[in-house]
């Protein structure tokens, strides 16, 4: 079967690559690669009013950034193109003309106002709103009269009566819909552009799509697409509808939900690692065997099994994403971490764009200090803020430490050691702290905590001697002087 597997990711260029769409693309990609099949990208751009400039390019750019490649698309013809629906309008015409000729579709001349009135009347009678089918039996003369009024028709598919459309879903198992709950639906709009469900069914057949893996919000489209396949006596693909992604309140992930970063582009800009994001998204609604959660792309391809797609909603856990990205960060070469973090220090106006060798070494040391705890590149700005302040505002926790009785003696002794220290390097600073221990008799938290809080304003942080070296002798002396009174 492997060579027969053909799957597609079919974005609309109406926006940027969203986390939910990225998951759809990623699962299709993994399924195709695991099965030795073909993964194609088709651009569903028939909703011309909603398309945004650069939408298509953005989708493809950030799929590549994530590490997803494809076998066929607008930039890689595999013999099934064109891969933009807007360039396939003539292809669709052949098929809707055939449906009209066979009486399986008809022209509808109803205006939006008439359709709205019909819907309101049905709702007033507590009926499910659906098209009544009143244009289904118009004579040629009646059609001509309506056209003479200047009415432009849409084309509706004639939904078979009293029929059940059932299919075995890769995720949900057995699913069925009754045709009587679905009104005759529009397959070609008044402007001559086919609608989503019609174009998708035609494309999936002509592009030999074997499996359609998509989000749960598409499941109500499936019976309409099955009807199109049935009308042409075509074998439909196997469908799989992945469960929703939910936020920490267990509500569907919405583009308006500001508690979660929604777009892949934003993650790239914040200095997340594509490998980490790939790993995280692959576990949104799919689970491997065992407890391991960190996998390379190649490992995912090897172990991906569509039977392990979850039947429960996938929780978008921000803390887990931060943890996972941190796991990847810790394994990076320092130069790669610098490349991710430095632009954010520059953007924040903390570091110059052009650095001399001494400044470059200092920044590199600063970023190295935080590599172990950094979750993403932009976090360096907040983590390292103490290095860019002339004076520290001590919070309540810090003040409590500085109020301890041994602090004045420790601070005074440490100041003397710092003042005499040349060169001002981490090893020497370590020895200076030991000398303070000897002269004051203080040790452990009683020794280290006052020094840390005095010079950094924080009760915890990176390796203290390294941090002190990077802060520099003059800044450290100033901070200690202020506390000496």
């Amino acid at each position: 079967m492997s060579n027969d597997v053909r799957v597609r990711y079919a974005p609309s260029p109406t926006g940027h690559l969203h986390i939910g769409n990225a998951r759809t693309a990623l699962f299709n990609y993994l399924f195709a690669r695991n099965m030795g099949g073909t993964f194609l990208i088709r651009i569903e751009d028939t909703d011309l009013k909603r398309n945004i400039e650069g939408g298509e390019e953005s989708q493809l750019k950030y799929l590549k950034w994530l590490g997803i490649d494809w076998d066929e698309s607008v930039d890689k013809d595999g013999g099934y193109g064109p891969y933009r629906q807007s360039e396939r309008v003539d292809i669709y015409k052949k098929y809707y003309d055939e449906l009209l000729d066979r009486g399986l579709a008809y022209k509808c001349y109803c205006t939006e106002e008439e359709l709205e009135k019909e819907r309101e009347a049905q709702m007033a009678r507590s009926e499910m709103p659906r098209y009544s089918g009143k244009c289904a039996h118009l004579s040629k003369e009646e059609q001509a009269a309506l056209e003479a009024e200047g009415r432009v028709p849409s084309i509706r598919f004639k939904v078979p009566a009293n029929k059940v459309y059932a299919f075995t879903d890769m995720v949900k198992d057995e699913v069925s819909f009754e045709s009587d709950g679905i009104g005759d639906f529009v397959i070609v709009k008044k402007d001559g552009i086919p609608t989503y469900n019609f174009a998708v069914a035609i494309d999936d057949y002509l592009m030999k799509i074997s499996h359609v893996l998509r989000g749960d919000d598409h499941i109500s489209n499936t019976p309409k697409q099955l009807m199109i396949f049935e009308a042409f006596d075509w074998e439909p693909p196997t469908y799989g509808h992945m469960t929703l992604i939910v936020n920490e309140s267990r509500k569907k992930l919405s583009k308006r939900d500001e508690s979660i970063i929604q777009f892949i582009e934003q993650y790239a800009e914040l200095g997340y690692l594509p490998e980490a994001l790939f790993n995280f998204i692959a576990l949104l609604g799919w689970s491997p065997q065992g407890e391991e959660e960190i996998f390379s792309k190649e490992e995912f391809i090897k172990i991906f099994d569509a039977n392990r797609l979850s039947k429960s909603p996938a929780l978008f856990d921000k803390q887990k994403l931060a943890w996972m990205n941190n796991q990847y960060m810790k394994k990076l070469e320092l130069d790669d971490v610098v490349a991710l973090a430095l632009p954010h220090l520059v953007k924040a106006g903390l570091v110059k764009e052009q650095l001399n060798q001494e400044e470059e070494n200092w920044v590199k040391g600063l970023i190295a200090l935080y590599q172990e705890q950094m979750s993403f590149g932009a976090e360096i700005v907040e983590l390292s803020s103490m290095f860019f302040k002339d004076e520290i505002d001590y919070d309540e926790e810090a003040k409590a430490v500085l109020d301890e009785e041994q602090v004045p003696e420790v601070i005074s002794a440490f100041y003397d050691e710092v003042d005499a220290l040349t060169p001002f390097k981490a090893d020497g600073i370590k020895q200076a702290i030991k000398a303070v221990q000897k002269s004051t008799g203080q040790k452990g938290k009683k020794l280290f905590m006052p020094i840390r809080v005095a010079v950094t304003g924080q009760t915890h942080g990176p390796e203290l001697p390294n941090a002190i070296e990077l802060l520099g002798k003059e800044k450290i002396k100033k901070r200690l002087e202020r506390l000496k009174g």
Side-chain angles (χ1 to χ4, degrees), residues 80-342:
Y80 292 87
Y83 293 91
R84 286 186 193 92
Q85 286 189 333
S86 60
E87 295 169 8
R88 297 174 63 82
V89 175
D90 290 343
I91 295 172
Y92 305 132
K93 186 175 189 312
K94 172 190 164 187
Y95 292 98
Y96 65 72
D97 280 346
E98 183 182 330
L99 292 177
L100 285 169
D101 290 344
R102 291 167 56 202
L104 298 177
Y106 59 89
K107 292 179 179 179
C108 172
Y109 294 86
C110 296
T111 64
E112 274 307 314
E113 293 73 25
E114 289 167 343
L115 292 170
E116 186 54 40
K117 264 189 191 167
E118 189 173 272
R119 276 192 290 270
E120 286 171 2
Q122 288 168 335
M123 288 166 78
R125 298 193 297 270
S126 301
E127 295 172 5
M128 175 80 78
R130 63 191 185 107
Y131 182 59
S132 63
K134 64 182 179 183
C135 285
H137 306 292
L138 292 175
S139 66
K140 294 280 184 203
E141 292 74 26
E142 287 169 321
Q143 287 183 345
L146 289 166
E147 284 177 20
E149 286 178 23
R151 294 200 186 201
V152 178
S154 58
I155 299 173
R156 287 184 183 271
F157 182 81
K158 198 179 282 185
V159 173
N162 306 315
K163 194 156 186 181
V164 174
Y165 285 85
F167 60 97
T168 303
D169 192 278
M170 293 166 73
V171 180
K172 297 176 172 296
D173 301 325
E174 301 307 312
V175 180
S176 63
F177 291 86
E178 292 183 3
S179 66
D180 289 351
I182 303 166
D184 295 350
F185 56 94
V186 174
I187 58 173
V188 182
K189 294 176 281 190
K190 292 179 191 294
D191 60 6
I193 302 292
T195 57
Y196 171 79
N197 282 307
F198 182 70
V200 162
I202 301 299
D203 288 344
D204 284 347
Y205 171 73
L206 293 177
M207 294 181 178
K208 292 190 164 63
I209 300 302
S210 62
H211 297 75
V212 172
L213 262 178
R214 57 190 179 189
D216 193 51
D217 49 343
H218 279 286
I219 198 159
S220 60
N221 290 320
T222 309
K224 294 177 181 178
Q225 291 166 24
L226 288 172
M227 288 174 197
I228 302 296
F229 273 88
E230 181 187 65
F232 292 108
D233 200 24
W234 295 337
E235 185 73 28
T238 300
Y239 292 96
H241 292 88
M242 299 170 286
T243 54
L244 298 172
I245 302 173
V246 295
N247 63 18
E248 283 151 6
S249 306
R250 296 297 190 277
K251 290 183 179 163
K252 180 188 171 185
L253 200 62
S254 151
K255 290 176 186 174
R256 290 180 294 278
D257 182 353
E258 291 179 8
S259 68
I260 289 174
I261 298 166
Q262 298 283 334
F263 297 97
I264 302 303
E265 183 176 350
Q266 292 171 291
Y267 286 100
E269 287 170 354
L270 284 168
Y272 279 79
L273 291 164
E275 300 86 355
L277 207 55
F278 186 107
N279 193 151
F280 176 76
I281 294 170
L283 299 176
L284 282 175
W286 181 84
S287 59
Q289 291 180 323
E291 299 299 312
E292 184 58 51
E293 291 190 297
I294 304 290
F295 297 97
S296 67
K297 180 168 77 170
E298 291 69 31
E299 287 169 329
F300 270 118
I301 288 169
K302 194 173 178 185
I303 64 175
F304 188 79
D305 177 359
N307 292 320
R308 296 189 64 82
L309 285 165
S310 174
K311 291 175 167 44
S312 306
L315 174 66
F316 191 102
D317 184 338
K318 291 182 290 185
Q319 283 70 37
K320 183 174 177 180
L321 174 56
W323 168 82
M324 190 170 281
N325 207 70
N326 174 252
Q327 299 305 300
Y328 280 83
M329 276 283 211
K330 287 195 279 202
K331 291 176 187 169
L332 276 189
E333 294 291 329
L334 178 58
D335 284 348
D336 294 326
V337 181
V338 171
L340 279 172
L342 178 55

Side-chain angles (χ1 to χ4, degrees), residues 349-402:
L350 301 173
V351 170
K352 294 184 301 189
E353 209 158 336
Q354 298 297 323
L355 303 173
N356 62 35
Q357 194 57 56
E358 187 184 343
E359 291 165 336
E360 200 175 300
N361 291 341
W362 184 85
V363 169
K364 205 169 182 178
L366 177 72
I367 292 168
L369 205 58
Y370 290 102
Q371 179 173 355
E372 282 292 306
Q373 67 188 100
M374 215 188 305
S375 294
F376 55 96
E379 199 175 27
I380 191 64
V381 174
E382 187 182 341
L383 287 173
S384 66
S385 60
M386 68 168 174
F387 286 89
F388 302 99
K389 290 176 181 171
D390 288 328
E391 291 201 358
I392 297 171
D393 292 321
Y394 297 102
D395 63 18
E396 292 307 311
E397 191 181 7
K399 283 175 184 171
V401 171
L402 296 175

